[in-house]
Amino acid sequence: MIDIAEAAGVSKSTVSLVLQGSPLVKADTRDKVLNAIDTLGYVYNRGAASLRNARTNLVGMVINDLANPFFAELAVGIERVFQTAGYIPFIANTAESPTRQAEVLRSMREHDIAGLILCPARGTRQGDLDAIITGGLPLVLAMRRVAGVKASSVTPDNFRGARRATEYLLELGHRRIAFIGGYADMTAQTERCGGYRAALEAAGLPVDGTMVIEGPTTRETGAAAIEQLLSLGAPPTAALCFNDVVALGANDALRRRGLATGADFSLVGFDDIREARHMWPPLTTVAVDTLSLGEKAAHAMLRMIHGDSRRDDYLGDVTLMMRDSAGHPKAV
């Protein structure tokens, strides 16, 4: 703390107030102290401050989007394993914000967590996780990998799942197929859109850039994409959605237009959240066994906590669930 005070040009007591989140510190002074903390790599150990001498049984679980039912189901799988093993998941939602994620990670390290399962926010870079890697904190990346980060990971086979879903639409007779949702700087979107492109290319069909609609992985994106796609001169007859939430929004937009999903326009999702099978019509989607992925992430973390330093890159199996939201295209 003395080193930080010297680097920031403030008193040790001011550093202490910043670490305690005191409102008495001016914003520019707080920024100076936080910049010095980041530069020097200091981590405030709340365990030591509370005179606790042993590492806690807390495990950090940082989720990028808890509003998405998929990640809620993933968290349940993780929590189930930790509860049995006597560890308490310390959960936080970053809402896809790298800034919020940095704050959460700092707070969790201050509480001396035993390990960290991270679903990285969009835009996470290798440098954002350097302190965790170099500090030796057990780290498992869930659902998304981060380029350059050497850490255990648990992800579904996004490429194969998206390719199989697109092939299914081709088998039904569709030739103009859209891809909706996600951004190209997201590893999961790159893999899923890559599988979609590979299926089209294998069928000898061109990949039309106007058919790939990027956006947040939300219902709003699905609904807006349908309006955009159906306004094209030669609109698609089907769409593969980045996830089920996007597909639910697309279904809403089709119904508002008076179009029947599965008959007038086919939809395929990805993840197989519980709501997918209860949508009307039930959603054809790529199942990734969400609970199992959460359990795999938790087991990988427990092995690391207990001294197994081997990297574990688990690629989960996927299954196409054929339901009523995808059918043959209407004859023109």
Side-chain angles (χ1 to χ4, degrees):
M1 289 175 66
I2 294 173
D3 292 338
I4 292 167
E6 290 178 354
V10 299
S11 67
K12 181 182 174 182
S13 60
T14 298
V15 175
S16 179
L17 288 173
V18 170
L19 292 171
Q20 294 172 39
S22 172
L24 300 176
V25 183
K26 294 181 179 178
D28 58 342
T29 302
R30 180 180 295 105
D31 289 341
K32 288 179 183 179
V33 172
L34 291 176
N35 287 335
I37 287 173
D38 288 339
T39 300
L40 296 175
Y42 173 75
V43 177
Y44 178 45
N45 190 318
R46 294 189 187 274
S50 301
L51 301 181
R52 289 184 285 118
N53 297 316
R55 170 155 287 193
T56 69
N57 63 342
L58 294 174
V59 177
M61 190 163 65
V62 181
I63 308 296
N64 58 297
D65 184 14
L66 271 177
N68 183 338
F70 170 84
F71 288 103
E73 292 177 22
L74 182 77
V76 169
I78 295 171
E79 192 274 340
R80 181 181 298 173
V81 173
F82 284 148
Q83 183 180 43
T84 302
Y87 284 85
I88 301 171
F90 185 10
I91 193 167
N93 178 38
T94 63
E96 294 286 17
S97 168
T99 300
R100 171 61 180 157
Q101 180 176 275
E103 295 170 351
V104 166
L105 294 182
R106 180 185 296 113
S107 176
M108 287 191 171
R109 292 174 67 210
E110 289 174 358
H111 283 84
D112 200 23
I113 55 175
L116 173 68
I117 294 179
L118 172 65
C119 298
R122 180 192 170 210
T124 301
R125 300 290 182 261
Q126 178 181 355
D128 300 331
L129 305 179
D130 279 346
I132 292 172
I133 299 294
T134 58
L137 182 68
L139 171 66
V140 174
L141 300 177
M143 303 314 300
R144 296 175 182 171
R145 289 179 287 271
V146 178
V149 174
K150 296 181 179 179
S152 293
S153 64
V154 174
T155 60
D157 194 338
N158 291 310
F159 182 91
R160 190 168 74 84
R163 179 165 186 162
R164 178 68 192 101
T166 308
E167 289 171 346
Y168 177 63
L169 290 171
L170 291 168
E171 291 164 7
L172 290 173
H174 296 279
R175 290 298 176 266
R176 291 184 62 78
I177 303 170
F179 184 94
I180 304 174
Y183 292 97
D185 61 356
M186 297 163 53
T187 55
Q189 199 269 7
T190 300
E191 293 164 355
R192 294 179 186 183
C193 195
Y196 154 82
R197 292 174 183 272
L200 292 181
E201 291 169 356
L205 296 173
V207 178
D208 185 345
T210 64
M211 294 286 177
V212 178
I213 309 296
E214 293 190 3
T217 55
T218 61
R219 291 179 83 127
E220 290 76 14
T221 290
I226 288 297
E227 298 298 331
Q228 181 177 339
L229 291 167
L230 294 184
S231 69
L232 296 174
T237 59
L240 169 61
C241 298
F242 175 85
N243 63 17
D244 292 344
V245 173
V246 171
L248 290 169
N251 185 56
D252 292 341
L254 290 170
R255 293 179 65 178
R256 284 195 293 270
R257 276 179 165 257
L259 298 174
T261 301
D264 298 316
F265 192 99
S266 290
L267 286 178
V268 179
F270 208 110
D271 291 341
D272 196 26
I273 61 175
R274 292 179 183 178
E275 193 174 352
R277 67 207 72 166
H278 300 298
M279 183 185 97
W280 187 257
L283 182 64
T284 295
T285 185
V286 179
V288 303
D289 196 355
T290 316
L291 288 174
S292 178
L293 287 173
E295 291 170 355
K296 289 287 185 182
H299 282 302
M301 173 55 60
L302 290 174
R303 286 196 297 272
M304 297 177 70
I305 290 173
H306 295 136
D308 187 345
S309 60
R310 292 175 298 173
R311 279 182 57 191
D312 186 1
D313 294 313
Y314 177 78
L315 192 64
D317 198 11
V318 292
T319 305
L320 181 65
M321 308 300 292
M322 292 173 281
R323 301 188 181 113
D324 296 338
S325 70
H328 298 284
K330 296 183 76 171
V332 179

